Amino acid sequence: MLFHTPLFLVFFLAFLCAYLPVRGTRWAIPVIVVFSSIFYGSWNWMFLPLLWVTIIVDYSLGNLLARTEDPRRRTLLVAASVVVNLGILGYFKYWNFLVASLAPDPQLAARLTLGNIILPLGISFYVFQSMSYVIDVYRRTQPPMKRLLDFAAFVTFFPHLIAGPIQRVQQLVPQLLKPDAITLNRVASGMLLFASGMLRKGLGDVLAGWHDPIFQNIAAASPATVTLAVFTFGLQIYLDFSGYSQMAVALARMLGVDLIQNFNAPYLSTSMREFWRRWHISLSMWLRDYLYISLGGSRVRLPVQIGNLVFTMTVCGLWHGAGWNFALWGLLHGVYLAVNTLFDRLAGGWLSRHRLVDRAVTLVSLPITYIAANYAWIYFRTATFDQAMLANGKIAEFALHPAWPAAPPGLVLIFLAVLAMDLVTRFKGEILPFQAQLTATRVVAYAACTAILLCAGIVLIVGVPAHQFIYFNF
């Protein structure tokens, strides 16, 4: 049930009919839980019990944590949450990968392999979100939740359930219990944001229609074409995921709930540290708060800090997929962040005293960051290490003998359109912020922009083969 399909429109209208009359009352949470369960079950009812196992286990462990002051018992309880959640995630997502990687001989690997395991939709997202609650209770930064349904609504709230943004209890639950008033500003800006997300999704699908055949046969493509395909995939995955996130935020906004912003013009970053503050923000914050800081963060000696960065980003890569290419993608970003940290330590103070040089470095670092981030997508997009090496060979050949790639001129228009949208986001936030006073001019602007973006998104989505959101696979 994709956000931009007629089926979801029917679902959302049915949800509104049931939710709006009880909104703000004690019956609102059960309605959210029931409809969110229907939403998740529409993909595959078989995995709905698994979702509820995660909910019940973490809710119970959170309450048990609140009832004991024994340090050893508390450690065992939070460890139980980590083991259960990562155990579920490991079985469905990583078992066959681990068997293939660690089994000493092929026959043993064949016996231990579990066949074609179906990956439950959104499991990486809801497992991390649910587990964070137990860790917060353990750290005493979050009181235990009194009602199971409140916690279930936190985990299953359908706008973010499948692909985030990953929420925290203290951010979301108070809003679900007491949502803001549904104002014309909220609805109008939400519709505009939803239409913008649809346009992004449509543009991403157009790019996929061009470069997917290239990645399917890298050997036959020219070096210039492969190089361009790497950059168009980097743009596609950004448009695809940011488009979904925008639609999720938009749906919640129209209900009076504000979700975490998940993207903020990441390709206009001037360092890899800034890139990860703007790319998949909710995951970056989760890894920072629950893994990197737990390892010591930046409070430890520099060599240990560098090791923590590399380890955290390698885990980030494996979170995205069970494969060595994903691990390499994360490892490469860990190296990027390590170099970034070392540069700041060695030259940051000197640059702050020489503003002109600092500005020149910033200007140069923007394209370097963009190229580095997009180069890493090779390991994300290719299925095997051999394919990644083949793509690397093509890129090296292109670097030695540059040539103009054979590509449709529409690709340039897509790049320019995304640049324009991101420049607005980078320097202005949203064009029409929902907190602004509503005037006749703003009403016309909302309506016109929404209609244009929505029509363009529909035309693009209908005009290309259907592509599921990339991050649904994670």
Side-chain angles (χ1 to χ4, degrees):
M1 195 188 300
L2 301 174
F3 284 163
H4 59 292
T5 60
L7 180 59
F8 178 79
L9 177 61
V10 173
F11 166 84
F12 191 61
L13 291 175
F15 169 76
L16 291 178
C17 291
Y19 175 71
L20 291 180
V22 298
R23 183 176 177 273
T25 73
R26 64 191 182 96
W27 298 105
I29 294 297
V31 169
I32 290 174
V33 172
V34 168
F35 273 84
S36 296
S37 297
I38 293 172
F39 175 78
Y40 189 81
S42 68
W43 302 92
N44 192 327
W45 286 100
M46 182 174 64
F47 293 119
L48 190 56
L50 184 67
L51 171 63
W52 274 91
V53 165
T54 301
I55 292 169
I56 292 171
V57 167
D58 283 338
Y59 170 78
S60 302
L61 289 172
N63 279 276
L64 289 172
L65 272 168
R67 295 173 188 167
T68 180
E69 296 297 326
D70 181 12
R72 184 172 179 275
R73 181 174 172 80
R74 289 175 61 81
T75 301
L76 288 174
L77 289 170
V78 74
S81 174
V82 173
V83 169
V84 170
N85 282 290
L86 295 187
I88 292 172
L89 189 60
Y91 173 80
F92 284 97
K93 193 168 183 177
Y94 300 106
W95 177 262
N96 287 345
F97 166 66
L98 291 174
V99 166
S101 301
L102 302 177
D105 64 81
Q107 291 183 348
L108 178 61
R111 288 198 300 270
L112 293 176
T113 298
L114 297 175
N116 294 323
I117 299 176
I118 301 174
L119 184 67
L121 196 67
I123 186 171
S124 297
F125 290 92
Y126 74 69
V127 160
F128 268 34
Q129 180 158 310
S130 181
M131 188 167 58
S132 69
Y133 160 74
V134 180
I135 298 173
D136 285 344
V137 174
Y138 171 76
R139 291 176 172 177
R140 305 183 195 278
T141 58
Q142 169 64 43
M145 302 195 68
K146 297 179 179 179
R147 298 203 317 161
L148 174 62
L149 282 182
D150 290 348
F151 182 67
F154 158 69
V155 176
T156 65
F157 186 49
F158 67 87
H160 74 76
L161 173 59
I162 304 302
I166 302 170
Q167 304 295 302
R168 310 286 175 87
V169 168
Q170 60 269 30
Q171 295 165 334
L172 183 59
V173 173
Q175 295 189 79
L176 296 180
L177 295 172
K178 293 183 179 180
D180 284 351
I182 298 179
T183 62
L184 184 57
N185 244 338
R186 269 190 174 274
V187 174
S189 64
M191 292 178 66
L192 174 63
L193 195 61
F194 190 90
S196 174
M198 280 193 66
L199 176 62
R200 285 174 174 265
K201 172 60 178 170
L203 291 173
D205 284 354
V206 170
L207 292 173
W210 179 75
H211 63 233
D212 279 354
I214 296 170
F215 283 108
Q216 290 167 7
N217 192 3
I218 297 175
S222 69
T225 302
V226 171
T227 303
L228 180 59
V230 171
F231 283 85
T232 58
F233 174 73
L235 195 58
Q236 182 216 347
I237 195 171
Y238 170 49
L239 290 169
D240 188 274
F241 195 18
S242 65
Y244 178 91
S245 296
Q246 281 192 351
M247 286 189 271
V249 170
L251 290 167
R253 176 180 296 182
M254 290 187 279
L255 299 173
V257 175
D258 296 324
L259 299 181
I260 299 171
Q261 183 184 17
N262 220 14
F263 290 88
N264 186 11
Y267 284 142
L268 296 181
S269 301
T270 57
S271 69
M272 290 310 300
R273 180 182 288 114
E274 184 184 3
F275 175 84
W276 278 101
R277 289 172 180 164
R278 296 177 176 277
W279 176 275
H280 203 171
I281 297 169
S282 62
L283 176 63
S284 300
M285 292 170 58
W286 199 101
L287 291 169
R288 180 198 67 192
D289 295 345
Y290 297 107
L291 182 57
Y292 178 67
I293 290 177
S294 297
L295 293 171
S298 57
R299 304 184 308 274
V300 294
R301 294 180 295 111
L302 182 60
V304 179
Q305 181 187 355
I306 296 300
N308 291 343
L309 281 172
V310 173
F311 177 76
T312 299
M313 294 311 299
T314 303
V315 170
C316 176
L318 288 172
W319 177 89
H320 284 85
W324 289 117
N325 273 19
F326 288 107
L328 284 172
W329 175 79
L331 176 64
L332 185 56
H333 273 280
V335 172
Y336 288 161
L337 289 173
V339 172
N340 198 161
T341 300
L342 289 171
F343 180 81
D344 287 347
R345 287 285 188 98
L346 295 173
W350 185 84
L351 288 174
S352 65
R353 296 189 299 271
H354 299 79
R355 295 295 179 88
L356 189 60
V357 179
D358 188 29
R359 290 177 183 176
V361 169
T362 299
L363 189 63
V364 172
S365 62
L366 193 151
I368 292 175
T369 302
Y370 177 74
I371 292 170
N374 276 274
Y375 166 74
W377 290 123
I378 292 174
Y379 304 97
F380 204 97
R381 179 60 179 81
T382 53
T384 66
F385 182 75
D386 289 342
Q387 289 180 354
M389 291 301 99
L390 182 60
N392 274 310
K394 294 281 186 175
I395 292 173
E397 188 176 345
F398 170 76
L400 293 173
H401 307 286
W404 194 257
L411 294 184
V412 176
L413 297 178
I414 294 176
F415 272 94
L416 292 176
V418 176
L419 176 61
M421 288 189 288
D422 278 10
L423 284 171
V424 171
T425 302
R426 180 73 169 79
F427 297 107
K428 291 289 186 180
E430 292 180 28
I431 300 175
L432 302 171
F434 73 95
Q435 301 96 336
Q437 182 180 359
L438 198 62
T439 63
T441 303
R442 287 189 181 275
V443 170
V444 173
Y446 275 129
C449 290
T450 300
I452 293 170
L453 295 177
L454 192 61
C455 289
I458 291 173
V459 168
L460 290 174
I461 290 169
V462 171
V464 298
H467 290 89
Q468 194 180 54
F469 290 98
I470 295 173
Y471 267 71
F472 282 12
N473 298 318
F474 309 135

